[in-house]
Structure formats: C-alpha cells, structure tokens
Amino acid sequence: MNVLACIKRVPNTGAKIVLTDDEQRIDTTNLGFTMSPHEECAIEEAVQQTEAHGGSAHVLTLGPEEATEQLRTGLAMQADEATLLEAGDEEWGPRATASAIANGVRELGDDGAEFDLLLFGNESADAANYQVGTRVAAELDLPCVTGIKSLDVEDGTAIARREVSGGEEVYEIALPAVITVKEGINEPRYASMRAKMQARRQDVDRREPTADTGAGTYEKVRLEAPETAESEAEILGDGTDAVANVVDVLESEVEVI
Amino acid sequence: MTLAFVEREGSDPTEETLEMLTLARELADGDGESLDVVAFAGGSRLSVDELGAYGVDEVYHVVHDRLDGYAPEAWGESVAQLASDVDPSAVVAPGTDRGHEVLAHVGATLDVPMAANCIGIDVVEDGAYELRRNRWGGSLIEHARLEAGTTLLTPAEHEFPIEKAESTTDPSESEFTPSLEDTQFRVQVERVERADEEGIPLGEARVVIGGGRGVGGPDAYDQLEELADLLGGTVGASRAAVNEGWRPHDDQIGQTGAKISPDIYIPCGISGAVQHMVGCKGAETILAINTDPEAAIIQKADYAVIGDLHEIVPELNDTIREA
Ligand SMILES: Cc1cc2nc3c(=O)[nH]c(=O)nc-3n(C[C@H](O)[C@H](O)[C@H](O)COP(=O)(O)OP(=O)(O)OC[C@H]3O[C@@H](n4cnc5c(N)ncnc54)[C@H](O)[C@@H]3O)c2cc1C
Ligand SMILES: Cc1cc2nc3c(=O)[nH]c(=O)nc-3n(C[C@H](O)[C@H](O)[C@H](O)COP(=O)(O)OP(=O)(O)OC[C@H]3O[C@@H](n4cnc5c(N)ncnc54)[C@H](O)[C@@H]3O)c2cc1C
C-alpha cells in the first residue's frame, strides 16, 4: 500500500506575530519554520500504515525551494520519498493549491507511483481554510472524509473514526481514498540524529506545479496583527502568600466555591 | 438571497448554527435580500417555530430516501444542487467540522472559492465581498476580497453572538429532493459509537485547570485533579505536556486541541504561546500560576500568582477543603 502525506511549510511563530512593512507576510527574519501538528501526524500515519501493510510512504509539498526542509523532516521520520512542487513567489489560494497537488499526484501516477491513501491535515496551521484535501479528492474523483482521529486499514478498506459530541462516527471507505487527519491520531516519532543526517543526503523529486483556475476570485488584501490589549494581570501575590487572594477571587468574583 | 446550512440536534438548530445565523442575517440585510435555510430531514426534521425569531424567510428540508444518516459528499452535492436552483449570492455554514466539510464539498462541486473562519464581512459594489478572517487561530487577521457567483463562507467559532432578528418572520417551508448517485454515498456514517465519558468534557466545563510543561511530570497532575474536583471542573493541558506523554491528547487545549469557554481557566506552568491561547479565548476569567513574571501568560491573564505551582496548588487545595 502506498501512502502520500501532503504538508505545508509555515513560520514557527512565537508569542507575538510581527508583519512585514507591506502587511503581506509574517516577518520571518528571526523565525524558524515548521508545519501543522496535524500534518506531522499525517506523515507518521503514512509511515505506520506502510510499516504495517508494506508499500512506500511519500511526502509532498507545494512551496518554495526552502520547503525541502519540511520534506526532509518527513524523510527523517522514515518516509521513503519526497516531492517538491516548486512554486515561485506567487500566492497560491486553496483551489489552485488543490489543483496543483491533484496534477502532481497524476504525474507521479504516470511515473509509476500510485497511491492507495492520500493524507492531509484537517486544516493548515496558518490560513486554515479546511478545504485542500476535499478539493483534491473531488479533482481525482476519490472518496474523502475529514477530521479523522483514528484509522485502520483492513483488506483495502479504511475504517476511520471522527470525534463528535458524546462519541465517534465510524466510516468505512474503500481505498483509494483521501483522508484528512487531526493531531491525536498517533504520536509522531522524534527523528534520531542519524535519521536526520541520512535524510539530508536523500534525493527530493522536484517538479513544476501546474494549476487550473476555476470561477471566481479570492484575493488576500493584507494582514493585520490585532492589537492585544496591553493589559497586565492583577498580581495576587508571590507563592503561597497569594492563596488567600486566590480563594477570594474564586469565592466572590467567579463564585465557584 | 443568502442560503444558510443548518445543523440540528433533534428538531432544534445547534448553538453554532444560531451563531452562524447572526452572520447570515447581516449578509441578507446588507443586500436587502431574503435569508433562507437548508436542513436535512431524516428521522426527524428541523422545526421552523424558533427560526422566525432569527429572521428566516424560507426553510428547505432536504428529503431523499437514502439520506437518513450523515454522508458528507451526498450532503455537499444536495446543497450544491439546491444552490444551483435557487441561486443564492452566498452560502453560509456553521464553523464546525461538519459545516466545513459540507461547504468544502459544495465549493469543490460548484468550483468556487470558500473562505473559512470569517469574523466580519461587507458586501461592496458588484456583489463582491470584503471580508476579515482569522489566521493562526485568530492571532492574525487576513483582509481579503472575494468575488464569485456564489460566495461560500463560515464564521469563526464563537465570534458572532447568538442574536434574534429585529422583526420576527413567519418562515415558509418546502421540500427539496436532490438527484444523487451511488458514488456520492461512498462515504457515510456506518455507525455512531457512544463514548463512556468520565467527568465533564473540556468544552463544557465551567472550571478548567490547565497543566503545562511547568508541571514537570505526570504524577504532579494529581494536585491539579484535586483542585478541579474541589471546584467542580476538569483538567486540561498544553501541547508541551501532551508531547511529553504526561496527558492524553484529548486533554490538549489550543489551536489543534479543544476550545474551552469556562467561567474560569487556571493555567499552571503554561507560558501562554499564541497557539495555546486561541483555545481559551472563550474563558471569562484567566488566573495564571507561573514562576516567571515575564511569561506571556501574565500579560494575557486577568489574575496571576508568581511562584511554584507545586507549593501553591496543594496549599490552595487545603485552604478550599477547610473552608
Ligand atoms: C510561493 C507560495 C507563496 C505562498 N504564500 C502564502 C502566504 O503568504 N500565506 C499563506 O497563508 N499561504 C501561502 N501559500 C500557501 C498557499 O496559499 C496555501 O497552502 C493554500 O492557500 C492552501 O490554503 P490553506 O492553507 O487554507 O489550506 P487548508 O485547506 O487549511 O489545508 C488543509 C491541508 O491541505 C494540505 N496543504 C495545504 N497547503 C498545502 C501546500 N501548499 N502543499 C501541500 N499540502 C498543502 C495540508 O495537509 C493542510 O493541512 C503560499 C504558497 C506558495 C507556493
Ligand atoms: C501550528 C501549531 C499548533 C499548536 N497547537 C497547540 C495547541 O493546540 N495547544 C498548545 O498548548 N500548544 C500548541 N502549540 C505549541 C505552542 O506553540 C507551545 O509550544 C506550547 O503551548 C508550550 O507549552 P507550555 O506552555 O506548557 O510550555 P513552555 O512554553 O515550556 O512553558 C512552561 C512554563 O511553565 C513555567 N514553569 C516552569 N516551572 C514552573 C513551576 N514549578 N511552577 C509554575 N510555573 C512553572 C515556566 O515559567 C513557563 O512559562 C502549537 C504550535 C504550533 C506551531
């Protein structure tokens, strides 16, 4: 069984986000990069499923050359192969991104890499439009279920579970299929130093993305870092001396005692 | 016309649906058009009684002999077919897992853009929409311009208050039967398994005690559990604590965990990263316990105690127990 995990490079923001002067991007001068925890879980799931059922685990991203860093994180987590759809500086909306990924998957298929399972994050860490996986599924005419927190594959069928209030919905889907996952589906491994070194030497397959555009337009105008009210907490005291004041807040203000 | 996708519990709209109707009504009022809703029948159906208070003009019940349970693709296809029939300028869905999933299918079927997590929308000239939406769970706002025959939108969770309309309407009802194919039932809920929940779920708790990396290990959570018991609450955790394996992921509060809205949240040994704070924006009061007076959580909390949680929490438990 071959499994694909799609991931997105995003800045690793700290406690406060700073924008560039043109308000178009996050100022990343002093920031590292990462991916959504949901996507780390997608990679781990791809690796675990291929460890259990054979086949190969593949990671893919649409992004700049620098996004090979995130692909190598995937390789260090024991994915077998990596593909970069190398984009220029232009902004890709969710629909164009999905179209490029679907075309990339078709190309990989033509080159002999057919996938039984395509994994995505439920939503990306930054833009979070909740739709790339679903749109890729529609383009490739594959069944799709989102927000999955438990997955088993038996005889070509995926048994997927989604948390709902008070329990779990259970889906049974014939493969090939698209599944978007949430953090908690597994515990992503920490890559060893050795695995990271090896990943650095592995080849990344690079391709030119192609995307079709649909009807309508969605344009980002600018970003805004909302003013966080510069409020300072009322300090109730240091150490155990503060306990009486805490009890007071719990009793008279919040009324939970 | 604005078409709103309604999720129901029995015959009543869910809370998230009522929040979404506040946004949908703003859009409908904005361009002086009607507010229609679509809900799926099966077993029971949406009761229209309450909806007049929210300014709904027309209710479409989707009726189909194969649609008794949830089937994401079939539901999306049904809403897309209804939209093609009635030609709304916008289709709005609640900002929930299901709302996002159904609307993403509508977007894929109609091949139009969709904007999730909206916090404010203006209709401008030519029927284009200028909108503001949350990024990074709300620590960043994106201003965008959306132009499409049909605009697909979801509100950010808990951004819009539940509000009744200024004047009550008397909604009319009709049935809509989509034409669906086998392939659209490739994915459907086979069964729902009830969890035997212990304690109060994080999302519903009135009091939440949070434990982060500062807790130092799994055993010290006993003190937090005790405090939660004394206050009738539940214990949650930061991602750092979950990654350490001290708590299960179900306990995680934040962008990729649970969103909480208690009367009081007491984060202990949590630094206050943006991805954590977006999970507790709904908290009425935040009281932080942290050794570091410079920690970001101190700026974001209402009250703070500076000190070691391992000394403060047991002392607090003793005092409450004796009171
Ligand atoms: C050159 C370039 C510049 C970009 N600039 C920006 C920018 O300034 N701001 C911004 O937010 N985005 C930017 N993007 C990313 C792109 O716009 C988004 O990935 C796209 O809009 C998807 O939307 P979303 O993140 O809301 O997707 P969602 O629907 O929330 O994503 C769901 C899942 O889809 C998958 N996915 C999403 N994007 C990608 C991807 N690119 N490659 C592989 N898998 C993916 C992931 O598994 C993700 O968890 C840029 C991309 C490129 C190539
Ligand atoms: C895309 C993305 C999504 C994320 N999603 C989430 C999410 O859903 N939830 C989440 O929590 N995080 C999330 N994170 C991670 C987040 O950025 C932080 O890394 C994390 O919240 C830090 O956890 P922490 O505060 O427990 O640990 P730290 O940042 O290490 O803070 C520990 C704190 O404990 C204090 N402390 C230490 N000892 C004591 C003591 N004895 N008594 C009192 N205080 C003490 C320290 O002063 C410090 O402030 C996400 C990150 C990314 C990139």
Side-chain angles (χ1 to χ4, degrees):
Chain A
M1 185 171 78
N2 297 330
V3 186
L4 178 72
C6 292
I7 60 175
K8 176 181 183 184
R9 172 183 170 90
V10 297
N12 197 352
T13 55
K16 190 168 178 356
I17 296 181
V18 180
L19 298 178
T20 53
D21 289 341
D22 65 3
E23 298 184 315
Q24 291 297 312
R25 290 179 304 110
I26 293 176
D27 183 349
T28 54
T29 322
N30 297 311
L31 298 181
F33 285 81
T34 184
M35 66 184 91
S36 164
H38 297 324
E39 292 155 27
E40 282 171 23
C41 289
I43 297 175
E44 178 64 32
E45 196 62 29
V47 172
Q48 286 187 13
Q49 292 294 347
T50 52
E51 281 171 353
H53 300 282
S56 115
H58 202 122
V59 286
L60 176 146
T61 191
L62 168 77
E65 151 69 22
E66 291 81 359
T68 48
E69 181 194 345
Q70 280 60 47
L71 293 174
R72 289 195 199 282
T73 302
L75 293 171
M77 288 171 71
Q78 304 303 305
D80 302 290
E81 284 172 80
T83 294
L84 172 70
L85 300 176
E86 191 169 353
D89 268 344
E90 66 279 26
E91 180 113 356
W92 293 69
R95 217 164 25 134
T97 300
S99 170
I101 293 173
N103 288 336
V105 168
R106 285 192 194 101
E107 269 186 40
L108 285 166
D110 292 342
D111 295 347
E114 300 264 6
F115 300 107
D116 304 284
L117 190 55
L118 286 73
L119 300 176
F120 291 79
N122 186 57
E123 83 275 4
S124 68
D126 56 348
N129 274 304
Y130 299 87
Q131 55 186 256
V132 168
T134 308
R135 287 187 190 271
V136 170
E139 285 249 357
L140 298 173
D141 193 22
L142 294 175
C144 171
V145 66
T146 64
I148 293 305
K149 267 182 93 169
S150 153
L151 179 63
D152 294 298
V153 175
E154 283 167 24
D155 305 327
T157 299
I159 298 149
R161 288 158 194 273
R162 169 157 62 199
E163 280 181 1
V164 290
S165 115
E168 285 179 336
E169 292 174 347
V170 184
Y171 296 85
E172 292 175 9
I173 307 160
L175 300 182
V178 171
I179 293 183
T180 84
V181 304
K182 281 191 178 174
E183 187 180 26
I185 187 173
N186 54 39
E187 289 173 25
R189 66 195 70 195
Y190 288 103
S192 66
M193 219 37 226
R194 205 180 115 93
K196 284 184 194 163
M197 298 290 282
Q198 269 171 352
R200 237 185 276 169
R201 290 193 296 271
Q202 255 168 289
D203 279 339
V204 170
D205 165 47
R206 286 157 203 269
R207 290 163 191 266
E208 185 95 26
T210 53
D212 318 315
T213 48
T217 57
Y218 179 91
E219 270 174 72
K220 177 179 87 187
V221 178
R222 66 181 180 94
L223 298 177
E224 175 192 343
E227 288 296 320
T228 41
E230 273 301 317
S231 70
E232 190 84 1
E234 181 182 334
I235 307 289
L236 297 176
D238 284 341
T240 47
D241 293 347
V243 166
N245 288 338
V246 174
V247 171
D248 198 40
V249 168
L250 296 176
E251 228 165 25
S252 14
E253 194 181 325
V254 196
E255 298 175 5
V256 288
I257 306 184
Chain B
M1 175 234 300
T2 299
L3 181 64
F5 164 64
V6 164
E7 286 185 72
R8 59 184 177 85
E9 239 175 66
S11 53
D12 298 322
T14 60
E15 246 178 60
E16 291 86 352
T17 295
L18 295 178
E19 289 178 9
M20 178 271 299
L21 284 179
T22 301
L23 164 68
R25 200 171 52 243
E26 267 177 34
L27 290 176
D29 290 351
D31 51 23
E33 294 185 36
S34 68
L35 171 58
D36 297 0
V37 303
V38 51
F40 283 75
S44 56
R45 64 171 62 187
L46 183 68
S47 151
V48 299
D49 301 345
E50 208 192 326
L51 292 171
Y54 296 94
V56 171
D57 296 295
E58 165 113 39
V59 178
Y60 294 99
H61 300 284
V62 179
V63 182
H64 189 282
D65 50 9
R66 292 185 67 178
L67 275 176
D68 46 350
Y70 177 53
E73 214 180 321
W75 281 39
E77 175 66 27
S78 304
V79 175
Q81 284 181 16
L82 176 64
S84 300
D85 270 19
V86 302
D87 196 24
S89 39
V91 182
V92 191
T96 57
D97 280 351
R98 193 174 276 193
H100 285 132
E101 184 169 51
V102 169
L103 206 64
H105 278 291
V106 176
T109 305
L110 300 178
D111 195 22
V112 292
M114 155 184 164
N117 284 318
C118 297
I119 57 171
I121 301 172
D122 295 313
V123 185
V124 291
E125 81 292 351
D126 312 332
Y129 290 74
E130 272 177 12
L131 56 91
R132 285 173 295 130
R133 53 179 299 273
N134 281 343
R135 282 198 179 203
W136 285 105
S139 34
L140 208 58
I141 296 168
E142 170 186 302
H143 295 249
R145 192 185 147 87
L146 226 169
E147 222 175 325
T150 305
T151 304
L152 310 184
L153 307 161
T154 68
E157 243 179 315
H158 305 315
E159 262 321 314
F160 292 88
I162 296 174
E163 261 172 14
K164 301 210 160 150
E166 271 167 25
S167 49
T168 303
T169 46
D170 181 18
S172 54
E173 289 182 82
S174 57
E175 290 190 351
F176 176 77
T177 301
S179 92
L180 297 170
E181 292 163 21
D182 276 349
T183 56
Q184 281 135 3
F185 292 92
R186 290 181 291 194
V187 180
Q188 53 185 318
V189 177
E190 299 294 330
R191 57 186 181 277
V192 176
E193 291 176 1
R194 295 279 148 216
D196 23 35
E197 297 258 345
E198 303 165 32
I200 314 159
L202 266 182
E204 291 161 30
R206 302 320 316 156
V207 176
V208 176
I209 316 298
R213 203 196 305 276
V215 178
D219 299 338
Y221 278 87
D222 292 350
Q223 300 159 358
L224 305 189
E225 290 285 0
E226 196 180 334
L227 178 57
D229 280 345
L230 288 167
L231 300 177
T234 299
V235 171
S238 73
R239 181 161 185 256
V242 172
N243 278 356
E244 293 286 352
W246 302 341
R247 302 295 291 185
H249 181 269
D250 287 349
D251 284 4
Q252 183 172 316
I253 295 166
Q255 190 175 335
T256 51
K259 312 279 188 289
I260 59 170
S261 45
D263 295 336
I264 184 161
Y265 176 45
I266 307 182
C268 306
I270 291 179
S271 63
V274 289
Q275 298 91 1
H276 183 79
M277 298 314 291
V278 301
C280 57
K281 274 199 299 194
E284 202 68 49
T285 301
I286 298 179
L287 190 161
I289 301 179
N290 201 301
T291 41
D292 178 7
E294 305 293 320
I297 192 94
I298 308 296
Q299 263 94 57
K300 297 170 181 173
D302 301 289
Y303 298 101
V305 176
I306 311 300
D308 185 347
L309 69 95
H310 302 104
E311 292 168 11
I312 296 160
V313 176
E315 176 85 13
L316 181 59
N317 291 344
D318 288 346
T319 313
I320 297 172
R321 214 178 302 104
E322 284 158 20

